[in-house]
Structure formats: structure tokens, C-alpha cells
Amino acid sequence: MINLAYRDIADGFGRYLATALGLGLLIGVTLTMAGVFRGMVDDGKALLRASRADIWVVQQDTLGPFAEPSSLPDEMRRGLLALPGVARAGNVAYLTMEVSDQGRSVRILLAGYEPGAGGGPEYLVAGRPILRPHYELVADERTGFALGDRIHIKRHDYTVVGLTRGLRSPAGDPVVFLPLKDAQQIQFLKDNDAIFREKRRLAGNPLFNPPSNPALLAAIEANQFANHRVNAVLVRVLPGYDAHAVAAEIERWLRLTAYTDEQMTTILIGQLIAMASRQIGLFLAILTLVSTAIIALTIYSMTQTKLKEIAVLKLIGTPNRLIAGMILQEALGLGFIGFIVGKLAVTYWAPLFPKHIVMLPCDTLSAAGVTLVICVLASLAGIRGALRVPPASAIGG
Amino acid sequence: MGSAAIRVENLSKTYGHGDSAVRALKRASLEVQPGEVVGLLGASGSGKTTLLQCIGAIIDPSGGRIRLDGKTVYDNGWKTTDRRALRRDHIGFIFQRPYLVPFLDALENVALLPMLQGRSDAKARRRALELLTRLGIADRATMRIEQLSGGQQQRVAIARALANRPPVILADEPTAPLDSHRALSVMSLLYEVARDFGTAIIVVTHDENIIPLFQRLYRLRDGVLREEAGEGRPIFPETRGV
Ligand SMILES: Nc1ncnc2c1ncn2[C@@H]1O[C@H](COP(=O)(O)OP(=O)(O)O)[C@@H](O)[C@H]1O
Ligand SMILES: [Mg+2]
């Protein structure tokens, strides 16, 4: 038996392929939107995941350090280490800034951490971890920085020694790690002119600069121009201890707020990216609906334009089964090619997006399922129309 | 005669309702024996196509009776459950225009019918090629329909009507798009088919060259069917074959 669907497709292959490509791009856009949505959620969690903290200790009654500003003295760390159940505590300081690299300006999240105490990158895709106490960076590859690049930040040049992959701030900016002390300094220091003015003001004040005691000015300067505050302390608990219980202890004894990792995730997803993700979620829903309508209409009108041929087929005695099979196969073919094209399109254009796009297999699968269902439903509507067309209509007019 | 291949009794067809109703057929009766080729004449709009399409189970008559091969297929309502199978297996219809399936090539248009009857692809294609050869268009077998001329398309349509060796062939002005030489050779083929397979054939025509060939003629005048004697002139041997 001749495969009618195949012969029909082959006869008008250009048009069929163009239709499939169009549907494919539509599916691609929908998939991308789903990817952006997943990417936002994933970005929100990336830094938390990499930090591998059981407990986030922040300034009292804040949702810090990402959803709200949080600042606490760095010596709190010692107090934390003294509490039962605390295995490790590491100070971290975060600040978002714009830096330029070879004339290009990049928005990054600077993450200061104490190597060995936690809060640093989980693994590197190139280079080495930070080993020197100062002026070294481990940057996410999304920054576009290369190993050995020298990046000027505030008053110093930093060397990129390592690269990470997929590490973004909850806001989507690539993360750049550096030693905590450097981060504290950058956070605290103004530009050179401001420092110069400050120093001159101090030196001009006889109270701070008595001629009898030149060491006083140096001490005051050391205190003024050093920063002993951090944004959070990351705590790992000892095996056998419950993070919730330890967090409760921290809050009780140190007058700080402590979130378990999962609470922190909830804060980020719930507070920080809720608005944006609801926005995108709604957009995704509308886009899915529109795509569904367009795919359904395309398939339906594809059969409507073939009613004459279908009437001829009926006229010469082709059974309904074959006609329905032809329409269904053509619709499925369209869906199949469209889906492949859409998937390929996303794969190729996703890296071009500034934001992280995450294609979860379950999203891809459900998109395939939805496409299949749309194709079948639309072809059912087409089949209904085809089966109702009277054979005599082939010769009428 | 009980053995008539086509027997139509008091067949009526009215298009539309009320004031706009057109009575295209008025109690038409006709009979064609197996192996017989009869002509159907009449002015344009007299109801020739309507009669053929009723017999061919393409449109619904309004009343009367149709018997094919001694089997009542219509008696004030269809007596057959699958008219599509009836068309496929019992009736070869040659329409006024080819009405080919545009996405199949010439050979496939013909071979589709035996395939629909369940014959193997190879057998169906062999038979289709045989018919195209007899109609002189074997060299066009794998061409797209739109690449064929009107006359070539009509010959493919004729081959398609013959493909299932139906006991009845209804031809609605089959030779209209053909030149007189081809027209005569198509008629000669129809006569051969009638002789070889005992096929009953009705041919609607205006063609002055063809009318003298029929032994028996029917003429329609405003939906009223009358039988006339024909000349029954034989087809000259030199016009046979293509
Ligand atoms: N589908 C139709 N609806 C309404 N009237 C029709 C239809 N088909 C044919 N007729 C009318 O029926 C009459 C017979 O038409 P037809 O059988 O086509 O004649 P012929 O084939 O002899 O030219 C004409 O008056 C025509 O206008
Ligand atoms: Mg007519």
C-alpha cells in the first residue's frame, strides 16, 4: 500500500518543512521561556549549593545576605565555633559591582571567603584555587575572564587564577571569589581620592594627630581603613547534630539570626525571585497557550486545504481509516520535526542569552508530550472535517 | 431481463427544496447488458451527469431503483452499507475532468485502486503500468500529475477507472479533452474492455465522431430519458491501438 501521508509530504515538502520549522521555532521559544524560568530558580540556588553551608548566620532579624542587607562583626565566627555542634564557621562578604576587563564592563557578585572555612567554590573547571592571601580571583567563566587576566577592582589589580562554571548570584550575575580580606577592603574602601581626603582630614585634626604621639594617627588609620564586618557566617554542623537545633542555639546565645540551608533556599525562592519568576511563569503559560493554538490551527488548516484531494480519495473508494491515518501521520510528522527543531534551536541559542537557561529533562519531556497531545487533538479535528466532506464535493465546481 | 448489469427504474433526482428545487431526473429507466456499450446524449443541463452520479453511488437519488449485477443497491434509499466499497469494486467512473490525486504520480494514481482492494503493491503496479501502456502514456508513469497535459491526465483517469476491472463503467464525456484520433482509440479500448471482461459501459458524449459507434443510445431531455436506436458503426481497425 502506498503511504499517502509520506507521498503528500514529499509532494509539498518545502511548504511542509517550512511549516514544521515555524512550529519548531515557536516550540523553541516556549522551551526557552521554560528554561529561563528554571534558570532563575536554579541561579537562586547555585551559590547556596556551592556554599555547602548547613546554617547561614546573618544580622539579627534580617533576611540577609541576599534578600536584605546583613552586616555582622567578623569575630562572631569565634563565638560560633564555641557552640556545640558547630564543625566549621566561615565568614563571607558579598558585594555586587561592575568591573571592566579589557574594555568590557561586567556586572559580578564578588564573594569574599576564607579558604578552608567554607563559602568558596565547590570545584573549578580550570586553573587553581586561591592560594595567596591577597589579589587573586576565581571567576565564573560567564564573566568572560580568562586565566591570567588582571582585573582592576577599586585600588588593586587582581589575577584570575581559577574558573568555575554555572555559579551565579541569585540575581543572575556571575560570581567571582576572592579572599575575604580583599572583599572587606573593597566593600569598605572608597576610591583613592576619598581616602586621600579622609587621611588629610585625620592628619589635620590635632586630636587624632598629636605631635607628641605619631603612632596614634597610624592606629586610628588602621582602624578606620580596615573593615571588620562580614555579611554572613556559613556554618557546618558536626555529624549527628540537627541543623535546626544548632540554628536555634545560635539565635539564643549570639543574638543573631540563623537559617538552615533549606530555610535560606525558601527565602531566596520565595522573597527574592518570586516576583520575577511569577512574571515569567505567567508569560510561559500564555506562550504555551498561544503555541498550542497556533500548532492546532496550523494542523487543522493543513487538512482543510486538502479537502478536495480527500474528497477525490473518497470518491475512488479510499476507506476512512487510510484518510484518517494520513492526516494523523502528517500532524505527528509536523509535531515531531517541530519538536526536534525547537529543541535544537534552544540548544543553539541558549548560550547567547545573558541569563542562565536550564533545560530540565522533565520539561523537555513534558513539552514533547504536550506537542504530541496537541498534534493528535488537532488532527482529530482535521479528521472530523475530512470524514464529513462528501465525495461528490470533489467534482462539484 | 434479470441478468442486466445496470438496471435503473423510475429514477428521480431533485436538487434543492421548495421554489429553488431543480428536477434534474424524472423517472428515468434504463438497462445495460454485460458487454454492452451504450451512449447517453442530451443537451447541457439535461441531467446526464446527474444520472451517471446516481448510478455511480456518488450522489443520492430522490427515488426509484438501481440494480447492479442483479443486486438492488438503491430502492428509495441505499441498500448497500458501504457505498465507497461499491464504487471501488463495482464501478469505474470516468469523470468530465480527471480528478487525480495530485500528490501521487500517474502510475500510483492507477495502482492505488487495486491496492485498496488488497492486491500486492507489485501486482497493482504491474496492472497499472499495463493500462498506462495501452493508453499510450507508459512513459509518463512516474511523472507528477501537474506535469501532464489535460489529455494525458484524462487517460490516466481512464486507466484508473479500468484498474479494478469493474463490471460497470460510467464515463462522463471521457473524450472531451482528447483529439479525435485519441478519442477514437479510447473508445476502441472501452469496446475491447466490454468484449473481454463483459463490462457494461455507459458513455456520455457530444462527440459527433463517437455517436455513430453506439448500437444503442439514450437521450435525456430536461430530465426525461428516452431510448433511441444507434447506427452501431464498427470502429475501423486502423484507429485501434495507440
Ligand atoms: N449540485 C447541484 N445542485 C443543484 N442543481 C444541480 C446540481 N447539479 C446539477 N444541477 C442541475 O441539474 C440539472 C442537470 O444537471 P447535469 O446533470 O449536470 O446536466 P448535464 O450533465 O446533462 O449537463 C441542471 O439544471 C443543473 O443546473
Ligand atoms: Mg455533465
Side-chain angles (χ1 to χ4, degrees):
Chain A
M1 188 61 217
I2 299 167
N3 183 320
L4 295 175
Y6 173 75
R7 303 294 291 124
D8 186 29
I9 292 170
D11 188 58
F13 190 63
R15 198 155 44 109
Y16 186 81
L17 198 64
T19 310
L21 282 177
L23 292 188
L25 294 182
L26 197 62
I27 293 170
V29 169
T30 313
L31 278 172
T32 306
M33 199 42 82
V36 168
F37 179 81
R38 296 292 188 192
M40 286 197 75
V41 176
D42 197 62
D43 279 348
K45 295 183 197 159
L47 189 55
L48 294 196
R49 214 183 301 131
S51 303
R52 286 186 301 167
D54 297 318
I55 298 170
W56 288 70
V57 181
V58 300
Q59 183 181 344
Q60 197 172 27
D61 298 330
T62 67
L63 295 171
F66 303 110
E68 272 179 8
S70 152
S71 172
L72 58 165
D74 57 9
E75 71 258 20
M76 279 299 180
R77 181 179 166 239
R78 257 170 291 148
L80 285 164
L81 282 170
L83 287 176
V86 173
R88 223 168 59 177
N91 286 316
V92 287
Y94 299 117
L95 68 154
T96 300
M97 56 184 310
E98 191 97 11
V99 296
S100 54
D101 173 38
Q102 290 153 8
R104 231 167 18 88
S105 172
V106 203
R107 223 177 106 90
I108 56 170
L109 178 82
L110 280 175
Y113 74 105
E114 301 167 287
E122 208 172 348
Y123 63 93
L124 305 179
V125 291
R128 58 163 178 83
I130 290 171
L131 296 175
R132 302 214 180 88
H134 287 293
Y135 311 134
E136 288 191 342
L137 299 179
V138 166
D140 191 81
E141 54 183 7
R142 272 268 166 155
T143 53
F145 299 170
L147 287 182
D149 275 5
R150 296 184 62 77
I151 314 292
H152 188 80
I153 304 174
K154 285 285 167 75
R155 292 171 57 207
H156 296 287
D157 280 341
Y158 292 78
T159 307
V160 178
V161 298
L163 293 176
T164 61
R165 179 169 297 162
L167 264 185
R168 290 166 191 77
S169 76
D173 303 316
V175 175
V176 174
F177 293 95
L178 75 175
L180 178 72
K181 289 271 176 258
D182 289 351
Q184 285 177 311
Q185 201 182 32
I186 293 167
Q187 217 169 29
F188 186 67
L189 281 185
K190 291 127 200 139
D191 53 80
N192 280 336
D193 284 348
I195 289 164
F196 182 72
R197 277 195 300 275
E198 283 283 305
K199 285 198 169 183
R200 216 173 44 181
R201 201 171 55 81
L202 277 180
N205 188 334
L207 271 177
F208 299 136
N209 190 13
S212 56
N213 186 3
L216 180 60
L217 179 65
I220 288 173
E221 272 185 6
N223 188 47
Q224 274 274 3
F225 299 111
N227 174 13
H228 300 290
R229 301 195 73 80
V230 294
N231 302 115
V233 186
L234 308 188
V235 169
R236 304 231 31 189
V237 300
L238 287 167
Y241 281 84
D242 173 42
H244 284 277
V246 176
E249 286 298 289
I250 292 169
E251 296 200 337
R252 192 148 72 111
W253 293 107
L254 296 175
R255 308 185 62 73
L256 294 168
T257 294
Y259 298 111
T260 63
D261 190 46
E262 95 202 45
Q263 286 171 328
M264 198 66 195
T265 306
T266 311
I267 288 172
L268 281 187
I269 307 300
Q271 311 280 323
L272 202 62
I273 64 173
M275 267 289 260
S277 69
R278 217 176 307 142
Q279 178 112 336
I280 292 196
L282 192 63
F283 194 56
L284 174 62
I286 293 171
L287 195 59
T288 308
L289 224 71
V290 170
S291 307
T292 303
I294 292 178
I295 293 174
L297 270 175
T298 306
I299 290 175
Y300 182 71
S301 61
M302 183 175 79
T303 58
Q304 287 303 105
T305 57
K306 264 199 275 292
L307 286 185
K308 187 97 182 169
E309 286 90 316
I310 287 167
V312 170
L313 285 170
K314 287 173 139 187
L315 198 62
I316 61 174
T318 312
N320 285 341
R321 179 175 42 83
L322 285 182
I323 293 170
M326 172 175 99
I327 294 171
L328 184 66
Q329 286 171 46
E330 289 187 27
L332 289 179
L334 217 49
F336 181 75
I337 301 176
F339 187 78
I340 300 286
V341 168
K343 183 77 182 99
L344 284 179
V346 180
T347 311
Y348 279 102
W349 70 39
L352 304 178
F353 278 74
K355 283 250 180 185
H356 187 198
I357 289 179
V358 175
M359 295 307 311
L360 296 181
C362 70
D363 288 350
T364 306
L365 223 71
S366 58
V370 168
T371 309
L372 183 80
V373 170
I374 295 169
C375 288
V376 171
L377 289 184
S379 64
L380 286 186
I383 288 168
R384 216 172 80 97
L387 296 192
R388 276 201 304 202
V389 65
S393 73
I395 42 186
Chain B
M1 237 194 276
S3 63
I6 308 169
R7 187 188 200 125
V8 172
E9 291 165 21
N10 299 324
L11 200 66
S12 302
K13 173 65 183 178
T14 305
Y15 289 108
H17 302 277
D19 290 346
S20 63
V22 177
R23 293 189 65 201
L25 274 187
K26 298 164 188 164
R27 303 175 72 80
S29 296
L30 125 176
E31 217 177 79
V32 186
Q33 302 304 319
E36 196 182 15
V37 183
V38 304
L40 179 59
L41 311 181
S44 178
S46 58
K48 305 181 297 293
T49 297
T50 302
L51 176 59
L52 245 52
Q53 291 187 354
C54 284
I55 299 170
I58 294 170
I59 60 173
D60 300 326
S62 308
R65 228 189 330 276
I66 303 170
R67 287 160 66 100
L68 297 177
D69 265 342
K71 236 182 90 197
T72 304
V73 294
Y74 183 89
D75 189 356
N76 289 307
W78 292 104
K79 298 297 162 200
T80 165
T81 48
D82 192 351
R83 269 182 286 149
R84 216 175 292 178
L86 178 73
R87 286 198 296 272
R88 185 190 66 206
D89 300 336
H90 289 273
I91 300 158
F93 212 113
I94 303 167
F95 307 98
Q96 266 173 298
R97 279 189 275 145
Y99 299 119
L100 298 171
V101 181
F103 54 80
L104 301 180
D105 65 26
L107 186 84
E108 289 167 333
N109 260 282
V110 179
L112 181 61
L113 273 110
M115 287 182 194
L116 289 177
Q117 273 191 333
R119 303 208 193 290
S120 73
D121 279 28
K123 194 165 179 190
R125 282 173 190 276
R126 210 177 317 124
R127 185 183 288 183
L129 191 61
E130 221 174 84
L131 282 165
L132 292 181
T133 306
R134 280 185 79 170
L135 283 153
I137 43 171
D139 56 332
R140 301 284 186 276
T142 56
M143 276 196 167
R144 292 161 53 89
I145 295 307
E146 61 176 29
Q147 290 173 309
L148 302 181
S149 72
Q152 289 166 343
Q153 289 186 20
Q154 184 66 353
R155 281 182 278 162
V156 174
I158 292 167
R160 180 178 67 185
L162 303 177
N164 275 350
R165 296 191 184 141
V168 169
I169 288 175
L170 305 171
D172 197 350
E173 305 194 32
T175 59
L178 304 177
D179 61 46
S180 62
H181 173 73
R182 296 233 185 266
L184 280 175
S185 78
V186 162
M187 284 312 295
S188 122
L189 176 61
L190 289 179
Y191 271 98
E192 266 178 51
V193 167
R195 187 194 63 208
D196 295 351
F197 301 108
T199 311
I201 302 177
I202 303 178
V203 180
V204 171
T205 190
H206 283 125
D207 195 333
E208 297 296 331
N209 293 320
I210 286 174
I211 295 169
L213 303 179
F214 299 107
Q215 276 179 328
R216 225 147 54 79
L217 287 168
Y218 283 93
R219 189 180 292 277
L220 263 168
R221 209 171 259 124
D222 286 331
V224 179
L225 189 65
R226 293 251 184 285
E227 192 181 340
E228 297 177 359
E231 296 175 35
R233 220 184 274 162
I235 296 182
F236 299 113
E238 63 265 32
T239 63
R240 306 186 64 161
V242 182

